[in-house]
């Protein structure tokens, strides 16, 4: 359609629209031509807006919007005063609605008014289908007349529904066939399959934007597009005396007059999955059998066969079903894999060698036993139970054969042969050097993970690379001790471990250089196939706690739960409400945590880390001490030292200020160390030096205790009345004894002497004792061993002694103490006692003293008098005849004679006579 025709069409449309009656309830302001078009993405589109009179607008008042975007004025074309064109480029971002609007004056509420709008449907144009191919399949014993074709459609939206049509034409007969197809495939239905006839096949696609056709597929021979069924009745069989061949037979799937075929064969061992195809040139003929060669003896094989048109331009059929059989056995063609395990003997200079092996790689049958030779000994047969090659995992069993003791100073050699039902294998040998005389090891060894396999890399021994014939890679499971090995050529420097290693399991990897069958010294390292985080954390316990620290200890994680190399331990502890952490090396299993709060609860846990993760152990709570160890002892020692220092200081001050202390606390005299004043009721006091061993520092008054007259009559005549007063007030015992009267009181005289009742005693309490200064009649006092002296009856009087025939009298000494110490209350209480007791006739009782006493007080007084003022007299052993003393100094026959000499003794001093 040319431009003039298009303009004429627009005018006619506008005229029809202008003549249209407006019967609706709303007013039309204009229209857009064309209405709801389908536009092609990537091309320009032109639309025309026609304005009606009702719009009260001209073409100058019109503007266009696409979606929310205003189309620029440069893209407008004014046709007349009531029509205007717009041209826009259609893209995926172009708005769905194209609107024609009118500009309003500012006085109106709305600034614009929609004249009309259209909806744009965007599509891609149809693209030419690519890669058209067709195939005819076998149906029964013939080829099907239905030809199936496939192609690759062009790019288009899935929301678009194009129409596909498949066409076919037989050139010789000029017959055309067509059928509706799907988006990417279709089928042509011929009356019969056009064998040996030329064909043209194509596909056509149509949309709203147009139609397009694919390239024509020209088929010279329709048999080139035939796909037959796979060969039938495939079977394989073994032949006697041919252990490495199998014979394969099959049948043609279709007669040669219909399609001439060629075949393809592939085979593998059961479970391996590695298929081997027979070269196509060997099976291009149409024969129905083939002999497979160079197979492995005593192995179960699987065989499959397929076919296609002999020209090779058609389609291969599917593979036939599996045909399986086993090749016959043959003698082993490779030697057994011989190895050893050396077990050191403790305390002995020998080793135990365990000989182990694996079946030969080319065992060619089931190994039924081994022949072994140790050193220069004879060959010995070692039968085995069913050693077989596991064809699925390609792992050979490890067979323990023999254990031999080997001295550390000897070398050992082992030879081994394997045998099956057909014959023996080649000989394998292994040499064991002397202890500590192994050939040098490899220079270095390392392991790394790559592609889920554990690789071992090493460097040859220094200076010995030319002597190495091969390398043995050995790996031992640390957890269960399982061992395996493999051999690598001498030129290899790295290799993956071919064994079945388990993840998270530790292995000791060793590399042995082999020197013509003799094992070199190994180099060993530990490694994991794959590491992970530990399954459990360390269990922690507290070994020792202090005031601000604690020593924690943890156990190593069990090997089966470690799952990797421990890189470090982290100690987490909570003190004072805050969590702290300390990282320690992996070989540390105890640590002293410092800076803890004393006398408080602490929480600690241990985290173990590997390169793949970390795992925390359980929390442990404990309490710190209030005092550090030894702190209490230090405090006690410091206090004791301080107290001792204070005591020493006080004692030193007291010694330095002794005079001041005496003024504050006057000294109390000790009666045993007091100065005793000598006194006598008849003589003035004079100081007499006592004899040795009697008394020291006392005043002595000598009185003749045996002169009754001087003691009785003269006393009565010569003593003043104060004598009875003193005697009644100051009855005294010996030194250290108790006074007869304990408190000063007024004394009254005897009825015979009429003392002065108005006098009072002094405040001084006098202690007195009587000491004899001379023996009786000039005799010396004696000491009677362990013989008690006669006790006086009263502590306040002198004992009356019998006359022993001597006119001389011994003068007693009266010793008086001038102590001011008051008497005890018990002594004072005795004075109120009314019990009378025997008094010394030399001293009279004071009239003021009552004769009646309480029995208890009397006993008390008697005990004090006997204990404190008793005199004992001992007879002399030399110079006199001992007689029993009688009254008046008479001898038993009435004649005066020498009286025994007695020595008065103070009972208070416990002195023996």
């Amino acid at each position: 359609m040319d431009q003039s025709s298009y303009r004429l069409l627009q005018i006619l449309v506008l005229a029809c629209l202008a003549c249209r009656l407006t019967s609706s309830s709303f007013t039309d302001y204009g229209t857009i031509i064309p209405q709801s078009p389908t536009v092609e993405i990537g091309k320009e589109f032109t639309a025309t807006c026609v304005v009606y009179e009702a719009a009260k607008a001209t073409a100058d008042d019109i503007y266009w919007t696409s979606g929310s975007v205003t189309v620029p004025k440069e893209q407008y074309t004014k046709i007349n005063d009531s029509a205007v064109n717009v041209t826009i480029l259609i893209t995926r971002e172009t708005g769905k609605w194209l609107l024609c609007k009118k500009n309003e004056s500012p006085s109106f509420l709305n600034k614009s008014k929609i004249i009309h709008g259209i909806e744009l449907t965007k599509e891609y144009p149809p693209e030419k289908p690519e890669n058209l191919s067709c195939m005819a399949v076998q149906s029964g014993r013939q080829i099907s007349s239905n030809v199936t074709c496939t192609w690759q459609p062009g790019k288009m939206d899935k929301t678009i529904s194009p129409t596909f049509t498949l066409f076919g034409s037989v050139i010789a007969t000029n017959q055309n066939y067509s059928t509706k197809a799907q988006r990417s495939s279709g089928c042509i239905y011929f009356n019969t399959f056009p064998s040996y006839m030329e064909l043209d096949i194509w596909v056509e696609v149509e949309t709203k934007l147009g139609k397009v056709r694919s390239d024509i597929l020209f088929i010279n021979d329709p048999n080139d597009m035939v796909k037959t069924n796979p060969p039938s009745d495939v079977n394989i069989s073994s032949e006697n005396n041919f252990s490495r061949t199998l014979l394969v037979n099959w049948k043609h799937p279709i007669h040669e007059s219909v399609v001439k075929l060629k075949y393809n064969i592939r085979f593998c061992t059961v479970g391996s999955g590695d298929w081997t195809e027979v070269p196509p040139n060997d099976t291009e003929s149409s024969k129905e059998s083939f002999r497979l060669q160079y197979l492995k003896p005593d192995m179960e094989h699987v065989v499959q066969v397929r076919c296609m048109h002999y020209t090779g331009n058609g389609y291969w059929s599917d593979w036939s079903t599996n045909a399986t059989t086993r090749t016959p056995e043959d003698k082993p063609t490779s030697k057994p894999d011989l190895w050893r395990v050396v077990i050191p003997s403790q305390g002995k200079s020998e080793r135990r060698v365990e000989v182990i092996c694996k079946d030969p790689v080319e065992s060619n049958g089931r190994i039924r036993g081994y022949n072994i030779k140790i050193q220069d000994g004879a060959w010995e047969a070692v039968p085995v139970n069913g050693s077989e090659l596991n064809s699925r995992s390609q792992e050979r069993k490890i067979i323990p054969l023999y254990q031999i003791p080997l001295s550390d100073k000897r070398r050992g050699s082992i030879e081994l042969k394997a045998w099956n039902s057909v014959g023996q294998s080649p000989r394998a040998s292994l040499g064991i050097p002397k202890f500590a005389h192994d050939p040098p090891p490899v220079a270095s060894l390392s392991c790394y993970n790559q592609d889920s396999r554990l690789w071992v890399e090493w460097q040859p021994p220094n200076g010995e690379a030319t002597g190495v014939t091969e390398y043995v890679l050995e790996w031992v499971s640390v957890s269960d001790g399982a061992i395996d090995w493999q051999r690598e050529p001498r030129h290899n420097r790295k290799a993956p471990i071919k064994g079945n290693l388990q993840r998270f399991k530790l292995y000791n990897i060793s590399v042995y250089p082999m020197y013509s069958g003799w094992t070199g010294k190994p180099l060993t390292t530990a490694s994991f196939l794959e590491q992970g985080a530990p399954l459990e954390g360390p269990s922690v316990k507290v070994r020792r706690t202090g005031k601000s620290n604690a020593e924690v200890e943890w156990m190593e994680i069990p090997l089966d739960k470690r799952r990797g190399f421990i890189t470090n331990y982290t100690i987490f502890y909570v003190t004072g409400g805050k969590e702290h952490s300390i990282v320690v090396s992996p070989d540390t299993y105890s640590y002293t945590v410092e800076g803890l709060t004393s006398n408080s609860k602490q929480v600690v846990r241990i985290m173990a880390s590997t390169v793949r993760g970390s795992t925390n152990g359980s929390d442990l709570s404990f309490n710190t001490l209030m005092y550090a160890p030894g702190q209490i002892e230090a405090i006690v020692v410091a206090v004791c030292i301080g107290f001792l220092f204070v005591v020493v200081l006080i004692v030193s001050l007291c010694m330095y200020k002794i005079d001041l202390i005496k003024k504050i606390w006057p000294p109390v005299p000790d009666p045993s160390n007091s100065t005793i004043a000598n006194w006598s009721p008849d003589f003035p006091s004079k100081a007499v030096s006592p004899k040795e061993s009697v008394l020291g520092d006392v005043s002595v008054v000598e009185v003749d205790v045996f002169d009754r007259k001087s003691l009785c009559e003269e006393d009565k005549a010569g003593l003043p009345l104060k004598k009875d007063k003193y005697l009644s007030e100051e009855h005294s015992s010996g030194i250290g004894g108790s006074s007869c009267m304990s408190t000063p009181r007024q004394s009254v005289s005897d009825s015979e002497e009429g003392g002065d009742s108005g006098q009072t005693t002094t405040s001084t309490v006098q202690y007195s004792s009587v000491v004899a200064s001379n023996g009786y009649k000039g005799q010396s006092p004696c000491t009677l061993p362990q013989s008690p002296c006669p006790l006086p009856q009263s502590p306040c009087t002198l004992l009356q002694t019998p006359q022993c025939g001597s006119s001389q009298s011994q003068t007693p000494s009266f010793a008086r103490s001038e102590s001011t110490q008051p008497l005890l209350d018990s002594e004072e209480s005795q004075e109120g006692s009314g019990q009378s007791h025997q008094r010394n006739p030399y001293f009279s009782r004071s009239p003021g003293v009552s004769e009646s006493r309480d029995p208890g007080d009397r006993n008390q007084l008697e005990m004090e008098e006997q204990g404190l003022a008793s005199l004992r007299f001992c007879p002399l052993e030399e110079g006199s005849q001992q007689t029993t003393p009688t009254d008046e100094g008479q001898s038993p026959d009435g004649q005066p004679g020498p009286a025994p000499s007695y020595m008065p003794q103070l009972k208070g001093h416990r002195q023996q006579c």
Side-chain angles (χ1 to χ4, degrees):
M1 182 181 297
D2 55 5
Q3 188 69 20
S4 60
S5 299
Y6 179 75
R7 295 294 299 273
L8 179 61
L9 179 61
Q10 285 184 334
I11 292 172
L12 291 176
V13 172
L14 292 175
C16 292
L17 292 174
C19 295
R20 186 180 59 179
L21 297 176
T22 57
S23 59
S24 60
S25 61
F26 61 90
T27 303
D28 290 337
Y29 297 107
T31 185
I32 296 177
I33 301 171
Q35 292 289 322
S36 301
T38 298
V39 296
E40 182 179 348
I41 298 175
K43 290 187 177 182
E44 291 183 347
F45 170 72
T46 300
T48 302
C49 179
V50 179
V51 180
Y52 299 156
E53 291 182 0
K56 298 180 180 180
T58 64
D60 297 332
D61 300 327
I62 299 302
Y63 72 96
W64 296 81
T65 60
S66 176
S68 60
V69 179
T70 301
V71 180
K73 290 286 187 179
E74 292 78 8
Q75 299 180 16
Y76 301 168
T77 301
K78 182 178 179 181
I79 299 176
N80 53 38
D81 292 339
S82 61
V84 62
N85 290 345
V86 65
T87 302
I88 60 175
L89 179 64
I90 303 301
T91 63
R92 284 186 172 272
E93 291 75 21
T94 302
K96 184 178 182 180
W97 288 93
L98 182 63
L99 301 179
C100 175
K101 296 183 179 181
K102 169 192 173 184
N103 283 325
E104 297 287 349
S105 72
S107 60
F108 291 93
L109 181 62
N110 296 326
K111 294 183 180 181
S112 63
K113 181 186 294 183
I114 298 176
I115 303 299
H116 198 265
I118 61 174
E119 182 181 4
L120 302 178
T121 301
K122 299 178 291 184
E123 291 183 3
Y124 284 103
E127 293 186 1
K128 181 173 67 175
E130 303 287 343
N131 300 326
L132 177 62
S133 63
C134 298
M135 178 178 63
V137 297
Q138 180 179 351
S139 175
R141 305 297 294 181
Q142 300 293 327
I143 303 299
S144 174
S145 61
N146 299 331
V147 177
T148 302
C149 298
T150 59
W151 59 89
Q152 184 177 355
K155 182 172 59 175
M156 61 184 65
D157 291 335
K158 293 182 179 180
T159 57
I160 300 175
S161 301
T163 301
F164 291 88
T165 305
L166 184 61
F167 296 92
S169 175
V170 179
I171 299 176
T173 61
N174 199 21
Q175 293 178 342
N176 296 323
Y177 301 87
S178 65
T179 181
K180 294 294 183 182
Q182 297 179 359
R183 191 180 187 91
S184 60
S185 64
C187 185
I188 303 175
Y189 303 97
F190 294 96
N191 294 331
T192 60
F193 182 74
S195 297
Y196 307 108
M197 300 177 69
E198 295 180 347
L199 295 176
D200 284 339
I201 300 176
W202 71 94
V203 64
E204 187 177 83
V205 57
E206 183 179 3
T207 66
K208 293 180 181 180
L209 298 177
K211 63 176 61 175
V212 65
R213 187 177 68 177
S214 68
D215 295 334
I216 296 176
L217 176 62
F218 175 74
I219 301 175
N220 186 31
D221 185 0
N223 290 332
D224 289 342
M225 62 178 182
V226 171
K227 179 180 179 181
T228 65
N229 295 333
S232 60
D233 299 334
V234 177
N235 65 82
I236 54 177
S237 60
S238 61
E239 300 175 290
N240 294 332
N241 301 324
F242 294 94
S243 61
R244 295 179 179 271
T245 63
L246 290 175
L247 182 61
V248 184
N249 297 288
W250 67 88
K251 290 183 179 181
H252 296 300
I254 195 170
H255 197 272
E256 289 186 0
S257 60
V258 178
V259 178
K260 188 177 181 180
L261 301 175
K262 68 176 184 179
Y263 296 90
N264 184 213
I265 302 174
R266 67 177 184 177
F267 63 92
C268 71
T269 57
V270 173
S272 67
D274 295 331
W275 293 94
T276 302
E277 291 190 7
V278 176
N281 296 332
D282 296 341
T283 57
E284 284 185 352
S285 62
S286 60
K287 57 186 177 181
E288 294 181 325
S289 64
F290 187 82
R291 187 183 302 275
L292 298 176
Q293 300 179 2
Y294 309 109
L295 302 179
K296 291 184 178 180
D298 194 42
M299 296 294 295
E300 192 172 11
H301 291 80
V302 178
V303 177
Q304 292 180 340
V305 182
R306 66 179 178 176
C307 60
M308 70 177 299
H309 190 249
Y310 75 97
T311 60
N313 295 325
Y315 297 93
W316 283 106
S317 69
D318 296 333
W319 289 102
S320 66
T321 57
N322 292 342
T324 306
T325 192
R326 180 181 290 274
T327 54
E329 285 191 1
D330 194 5
K331 69 177 182 179
T333 55
S334 63
K335 58 186 178 182
D337 194 352
L338 178 61
W339 194 235
R340 89 290 178 272
V341 177
V342 178
I343 306 172
S345 297
Q346 296 181 356
K348 297 181 180 180
S349 59
E350 67 175 13
R351 301 159 287 173
R352 295 199 63 83
V353 179
E354 182 179 7
V355 181
I356 57 178
C357 74
K358 289 190 283 190
D359 292 343
V361 176
E362 302 292 338
S363 59
N364 300 334
R366 186 170 64 91
I367 300 299
R368 301 178 182 274
Y370 292 90
N371 293 329
I372 188 171
K373 181 180 180 182
I374 307 297
Q375 301 288 56
D376 296 330
W379 289 92
E380 297 182 18
V382 180
V384 295
N385 296 324
S387 174
E388 293 183 353
L389 179 68
N390 189 337
S391 59
R392 179 175 298 274
S393 63
Q394 296 298 314
E395 289 185 4
R396 293 172 293 165
K397 293 181 180 180
I398 299 174
I399 304 169
L401 296 177
Y402 213 81
Q403 280 195 3
I404 57 173
L406 183 63
S407 174
D408 293 343
K409 299 180 180 180
R410 293 188 59 189
R411 300 191 305 173
S413 63
I414 304 170
E415 296 181 3
L416 185 68
K417 295 179 181 180
W419 55 273
N420 60 12
S421 61
V422 179
Q424 289 187 348
S425 70
R427 181 183 60 183
S429 62
L430 181 66
I432 303 173
K434 296 179 182 179
F435 181 75
H437 288 78
D438 302 89
V442 295
S444 64
L445 176 63
S446 62
C447 297
Y448 61 92
N449 294 37
Q450 182 178 344
D451 300 330
S452 300
R453 303 183 72 179
L454 184 61
W455 285 74
V456 182
E457 186 173 5
W458 66 92
Q459 293 297 325
N462 296 328
E464 299 289 340
T466 57
V468 176
T469 56
E470 63 178 349
Y471 295 96
V472 174
L473 275 61
E474 179 190 75
W475 58 94
V476 180
S477 173
V478 178
S479 59
D480 55 18
I483 187 174
D484 202 352
W485 69 94
Q486 69 186 46
R487 298 180 183 271
E488 296 295 331
R490 62 185 300 270
H491 59 270
N492 278 11
R493 297 293 177 265
K494 64 179 180 179
I497 290 181
K498 301 174 183 177
N500 185 20
L501 301 183
Q502 298 181 14
R503 299 189 309 161
F504 315 128
K505 199 170 185 179
L506 181 61
Y507 293 90
N508 285 331
I509 312 297
S510 302
V511 174
Y512 292 80
M514 301 298 295
Y515 299 87
S516 300
W518 292 88
T519 58
K521 187 175 182 180
L523 190 61
T524 304
T525 185
S527 182
F528 287 87
L529 173 64
E530 182 179 345
Q531 298 190 57
L535 291 179
E536 65 179 28
S539 58
V540 62
K541 64 180 181 180
V542 178
R543 178 189 294 179
R544 178 186 56 82
T545 58
K547 178 181 179 182
S548 61
N549 56 33
E551 184 179 0
V552 296
E553 182 182 22
W554 60 93
M555 300 298 294
E556 190 176 9
I557 301 175
L559 188 61
D560 56 341
K561 298 181 180 179
R562 201 177 306 167
R563 307 212 316 168
F565 294 111
I566 301 298
T567 57
N568 60 70
Y569 292 102
T570 305
I571 304 172
F572 293 95
Y573 61 97
V574 179
T575 179
K578 295 183 179 180
E579 186 176 68
H580 306 270
S581 63
I582 301 173
V583 179
V584 298
S585 60
D587 57 349
T588 301
Y589 300 104
S590 64
Y591 189 83
T592 301
V593 181
E594 302 288 348
L596 302 179
T597 306
S598 62
N599 193 27
S600 61
K601 182 179 179 180
Q602 313 291 330
V603 180
V604 65
R605 73 177 186 275
I606 308 297
M607 181 180 72
S609 301
T610 65
V611 293
R612 291 299 182 91
S614 304
T615 303
N616 283 307
S618 58
D619 292 347
L620 176 67
S621 301
F622 64 94
N623 293 324
T624 52
L625 303 178
M626 181 178 295
Y627 300 100
Q631 187 174 4
I632 297 178
E633 291 81 355
I635 293 174
V636 172
V637 171
V639 171
C640 293
I641 293 176
F643 178 75
L644 182 61
F645 177 76
V646 172
V647 169
V648 171
L649 182 61
I650 293 175
V651 171
S652 300
L653 290 175
C654 292
M655 294 177 64
Y656 184 72
K657 298 292 185 179
I658 189 65
D659 296 336
L660 180 61
I661 295 176
K662 287 182 178 181
K663 293 179 181 180
I664 300 175
W665 290 290
V668 178
D670 187 357
S672 63
N673 298 326
S674 63
T675 302
I676 302 176
N678 295 324
W679 65 278
S680 174
D682 297 326
F683 304 99
S685 301
K686 68 177 180 179
V688 179
S689 299
K691 294 181 180 181
E692 292 183 19
S693 72
V694 179
L695 289 175
D697 298 332
V698 295
S699 298
V700 179
V701 178
E702 294 184 359
V703 180
D704 189 356
V705 297
F706 301 103
D707 192 349
R708 180 188 300 267
K709 181 178 180 179
S710 62
L711 291 176
C712 297
E713 296 177 1
E714 293 178 2
D715 289 347
K716 293 180 180 181
L719 292 178
L721 292 176
K722 292 181 179 181
K723 177 188 70 174
D724 288 340
K725 177 179 70 176
Y726 288 121
L727 291 175
S728 63
E729 292 178 354
E730 298 174 1
H731 293 294
S732 172
S733 67
I735 297 173
S738 300
S739 172
C740 294
M741 303 183 68
S742 62
T743 57
R745 60 174 60 91
Q746 185 177 0
S747 176
V748 294
S749 63
D750 193 278
S751 60
E752 297 177 357
E753 304 197 359
D756 188 2
S757 62
Q759 281 183 322
T760 61
T761 63
T762 65
S763 61
T764 301
V765 180
Q766 297 179 355
Y767 298 86
S768 64
S769 63
V770 180
V771 181
S773 61
N774 297 317
Y776 177 73
K777 299 295 183 176
Q779 297 178 4
S780 300
C782 69
T783 300
L784 295 178
Q786 299 182 358
S787 177
C789 300
L791 299 178
Q793 298 298 322
S794 174
C796 300
T797 61
L798 294 175
L799 293 177
Q800 182 178 359
T801 58
Q803 297 290 333
C804 298
S806 175
S807 61
Q808 296 180 358
S809 64
Q810 185 178 9
T811 303
S813 297
F814 293 84
R816 175 182 292 273
S817 172
E818 298 299 334
S819 173
T820 60
Q821 179 178 3
L823 298 179
L824 301 176
D825 291 341
S826 61
E827 296 176 350
E828 293 178 352
S829 64
Q830 293 174 2
E831 296 188 21
S833 176
Q835 179 67 31
S836 63
H837 55 279
Q838 185 178 356
R839 307 288 296 179
N840 193 295
Y842 290 100
F843 301 97
S844 61
R845 184 179 305 277
S846 174
V849 178
S850 175
E851 291 293 335
S852 63
R853 290 181 180 270
D854 184 82
D857 294 339
R858 184 175 67 252
N859 295 336
Q860 180 82 14
L861 182 60
E862 289 177 358
M863 292 174 62
E864 292 177 354
E865 289 175 349
Q866 292 176 7
L868 301 177
S870 299
L871 295 178
R872 292 181 291 179
F873 295 88
C874 303
L876 295 176
E877 295 181 357
E878 297 180 0
S880 64
Q881 182 180 358
Q882 297 183 5
T883 60
T884 302
T886 60
D887 291 340
E888 303 295 334
Q890 298 291 329
S891 62
D893 56 1
Q895 299 298 326
S901 177
Y902 293 87
M903 182 177 180
Q905 174 69 31
L906 297 179
K907 185 177 181 180
H909 285 279
R910 302 289 182 181
Q911 183 176 358
Q912 298 295 331
C913 297

